[in-house]
Amino acid sequence: ELLDDDADEVVDVVLLWWRDGDGDLVDALVDAIGPLADNGVVWVLTPKTGRPGHVEPSEIAEAAPTAGLSQTSNISVAGGWPGPRLVAPRAAKSRR
């Protein structure tokens, strides 16, 4: 079930569609992990290189640890939206 950003339930996954110019990515990630379950994940999807709103992977890689997250893998979804999978360090360790 999809929830909107005003929901106050604990969630397993946060899907964040992010474009250049959407604001402060660190703030968005901190907000995203608020309702996240202990083993939950955050996917940050951005337009692929060359498309309007593209976000450099290095920007996400720098923002994640500041928000208390670690990058574990990457995906690309339909329509050319690639993105990393981010987890809290305790969740990353429990999966090893």
Side-chain angles (χ1 to χ4, degrees), residues 44-49 54-55 60 74-77 79-84:
V44 181
L45 303 177
T46 67
K48 72 178 187 175
T49 303
H54 170 71
V55 176
I60 298 169
N74 291 293
I75 62 166
S76 184
V77 295
W81 284 75

Side-chain angles (χ1 to χ4, degrees), residues 1-93:
E1 178 181 344
L2 294 177
L3 304 173
D4 64 26
D5 57 354
D6 294 330
D8 60 356
E9 299 174 40
V10 174
V11 298
D12 296 317
V13 176
V14 171
L15 183 58
L16 184 61
W17 300 89
W18 195 258
R19 294 178 184 94
D20 184 43
D22 280 350
D24 188 296
L25 182 55
V26 172
D27 288 344
L29 291 173
V30 168
D31 290 345
I33 62 175
L36 201 59
D38 286 343
N39 290 323
V41 301
V42 177
W43 289 99
V44 181
L45 303 177
T46 67
K48 72 178 187 175
T49 303
R51 292 201 174 162
H54 170 71
V55 176
E56 291 295 328
S58 61
E59 183 177 338
I60 298 169
E62 291 173 10
T66 303
L69 298 166
S70 299
Q71 185 172 335
T72 62
S73 61
N74 291 293
I75 62 166
S76 184
V77 295
W81 284 75
R85 177 180 182 264
L86 307 175
V87 298
R90 67 184 177 281
K93 290 178 185 173

